[in-house]
Amino acid sequence: MKRVIRPGLVSGTIQIPASKSDSQRAILCAALADGTSVLSGVGKSDDEQAMLKAIVELGAKVTPISDSKIEITGTTHLPENLELSAGESGLGLRLLTCVASSFDREITLTGKGSLLSRPMNFFDEVLPEFGCAVSTNEGYLPIKVKGPLEGTDLEVDGSLSSQFISGLLMALPRSKRSSSLTVIDMKSGPYIQMTISTLKQFGVLIENEKTVFGIAGNQSYQATAYGIESDWSSAGYWLVAAALGHPIAVSGLNMRSLQADKALLEALMAAGCKITFGGQLIQVDGSEIRPFEFDATDCPDLFPALVVLAAKCTGVSKIHGAKRLIHKESNRGIALQSEFAKMGLRIDLEDDFMLIHGSGKLQGAEVDSHHDHRIAMCLGIAGTIATGETVLTNAESVAKSYPDFWKTFDSQN
């Protein structure tokens, strides 16, 4: 799918959709719980739909109540010859694989798209330490696991993704023995805290002291009523658009959220933006915007939005954490560099840094999302401030996290 994006203002109040990260965690917790949970604020992203389909395969029952509210009755009987697909969701696959290892039956985990080329060596290396049988396709999908995993004390590498750690924190409370995880080189710590918070609401407790996690065994998930937060990652594109001069207000965000991408507010302030909070609305004034430096190591999904912000700044902006971009839906650092070069923006990748040489101007061009939802959204916003038309290929990739992005984009023009 191609979209033509013309320069012009986007305006109005934008309601931010559900956090697929929060939603996937809650959906899986509800599937493991005794009884029936009610989840409100559930979104329609591809990743959420994949997780809902997976828990039905796992034996849970999903009953729609309204457009954004569902009931989930937890699994009571595990089907035979089970194969679970995470779609294209890296988070979904990592959570599902760890949870699958808590059952005493072989389960196959699959996915599609970019997930097929993302390394899964963590499972080969770590799950056997908990007594699980694991086989992969030389470190890639599909994965076969057979548990049940047994609690133990272990040091694990957290440098590739916090999602592996979150998966273990969801699975280990189901083991008969208690466990202790010491995470070395932990990245995206806020997302691990988000997992701990969600688990607590479903009656599962994790003790945490810095990078050490104590997990009591023989815990049971309990059904509950759970509200899904709006997504700070999706909000980032609109908040940056506001900083670029679009008269936009953003609605629905939780200022107490544990989502790592709430740190966008810090990046906006570092760039000289003024942020106004009024009721449920957030507005951004970027009239005094300037080059900025920001550490996105714990929130790498902010890179695409921040590149658009930096393009508007005259001078060099520096973002830390670029190594976290390699194994995303695309090699996101290279994708940003190549596509924005077509629009006249120079981006240098130096070790763990991204340097953006902003001039305040972009030129329209033919660009490609690389089938990456976040690249598609940032190029859409970039096109509104470019000179001339921007033609975006593979624009439909936004469905992974924000299926209504273009509908919202069009309605605000």
Side-chain angles (χ1 to χ4, degrees):
M1 166 185 161
K2 288 188 177 182
R3 282 192 64 96
V4 177
I5 302 155
R6 297 178 176 87
L9 290 179
V10 179
S11 63
T13 299
I14 296 175
Q15 176 68 37
I16 301 303
S19 163
K20 68 183 182 69
S21 182
D22 188 19
S23 189
Q24 287 178 92
R25 285 168 167 83
I27 289 168
L28 187 52
C29 284
L32 297 173
D34 298 324
T36 299
S37 299
V38 178
L39 273 54
S40 57
V42 181
K44 297 180 174 61
S45 70
D46 287 353
D47 284 5
E48 288 166 284
Q49 297 307 306
M51 181 60 82
L52 285 168
K53 184 178 179 180
I55 67 163
V56 170
E57 295 291 333
L58 198 61
K61 181 181 178 182
V62 178
T63 305
I65 299 175
S66 67
D67 192 48
S68 61
K69 182 180 287 188
I70 59 176
E71 285 185 347
I72 297 176
T73 302
T75 300
T76 56
H77 176 71
L78 200 65
E80 299 285 346
N81 302 316
L82 193 54
E83 181 174 301
L84 305 177
S85 174
E88 290 192 70
S89 174
L91 171 63
L93 180 77
R94 289 154 181 167
L95 298 184
L96 283 166
T97 302
C98 289
V99 165
S101 73
S102 68
F103 292 96
D104 62 349
R105 186 171 301 172
E106 184 176 87
I107 300 175
T108 301
L109 289 303
T110 66
K112 62 182 182 179
S114 62
L115 209 52
L116 298 174
S117 60
R118 295 166 78 170
M120 300 295 161
N121 307 84
F122 179 92
F123 299 120
D124 281 327
E125 297 167 0
V126 173
L127 289 183
E129 297 288 339
F130 295 100
C132 297
V134 182
S135 65
T136 63
N137 179 23
E138 297 183 350
Y140 295 91
L141 293 180
I143 302 170
K144 293 181 185 292
V145 297
K146 185 179 187 303
L149 81 173
E150 300 171 356
T152 189
D153 299 337
L154 192 67
E155 286 190 353
V156 292
D157 181 6
S159 62
L160 180 59
S161 174
S162 66
Q163 295 170 357
F164 295 110
I165 310 304
S166 287
L168 290 174
L169 293 180
M170 293 186 72
L172 286 169
R174 291 167 48 83
S175 67
K176 292 181 180 180
R177 289 181 52 199
S178 296
S179 303
S180 174
L181 291 182
T182 301
V183 182
I184 307 302
D185 196 13
M186 187 167 72
K187 297 293 192 295
S188 297
Y191 282 111
I192 296 176
Q193 294 304 317
M194 185 177 172
T195 300
I196 292 173
S197 175
T198 303
L199 289 171
K200 184 177 181 180
Q201 292 191 57
F202 283 89
V204 173
L205 301 179
I206 307 292
E207 295 181 357
N208 175 214
E209 181 66 32
K210 296 183 178 178
T211 62
V212 179
F213 301 86
I215 307 106
N218 285 314
Q219 296 192 60
S220 297
Y221 284 75
Q222 302 302 316
T224 190
Y226 188 95
I228 308 297
E229 290 187 354
S230 293
D231 185 32
W232 277 93
S233 303
S234 298
Y237 302 95
W238 301 119
L239 292 170
V240 164
L244 302 180
H246 297 285
I248 289 173
V250 169
S251 175
L253 294 170
N254 178 6
M255 291 304 300
R256 296 182 179 179
S257 174
L258 295 174
Q259 294 177 52
D261 289 348
K262 189 179 72 171
L264 175 71
L265 298 179
E266 299 172 22
L268 289 169
M269 290 186 286
C273 297
K274 297 177 182 177
I275 303 171
T276 304
F277 305 93
Q280 294 293 313
L281 301 180
I282 302 177
Q283 295 173 289
V284 182
D285 176 1
S287 57
E288 298 180 8
I289 200 169
R290 59 176 182 259
F292 62 93
E293 184 170 350
F294 181 71
D295 189 348
T297 300
D298 284 340
C299 46
D301 286 345
L302 290 181
F303 266 88
L306 292 177
V307 166
V308 186
L309 180 67
K312 188 67 173 177
C313 304
T314 302
V316 180
S317 295
K318 184 177 184 179
I319 308 176
H320 302 238
K323 289 181 178 179
R324 302 290 316 281
L325 300 177
I326 296 173
H327 297 297
K328 295 292 184 178
E329 285 75 6
S330 64
N331 184 330
R332 202 167 276 167
I334 298 298
L336 289 167
Q337 185 181 53
S338 64
E339 299 312 309
F340 276 93
K342 299 172 185 176
M343 302 183 78
L345 178 66
R346 175 184 162 192
I347 297 176
D348 295 332
L349 295 168
E350 299 180 0
D351 192 36
D352 198 34
F353 301 106
M354 178 181 284
L355 303 174
I356 304 102
H357 299 259
S359 65
K361 300 177 181 179
L362 291 172
Q363 61 194 35
E366 291 195 10
V367 292
D368 194 311
S369 76
H370 295 241
H371 301 282
D372 186 325
H373 56 133
R374 302 201 190 282
I375 300 294
M377 287 186 276
C378 80
L379 289 170
I381 299 300
T384 66
I385 62 168
T387 301
E389 290 184 348
T390 297
V391 180
L392 173 60
T393 302
N394 296 311
E396 72 282 358
S397 59
V398 299
K400 186 177 192 300
S401 62
Y402 195 166
D404 287 339
F405 177 80
W406 295 118
K407 180 180 178 181
T408 302
F409 185 95
D410 291 339
S411 69
Q412 306 299 320
N413 274 277

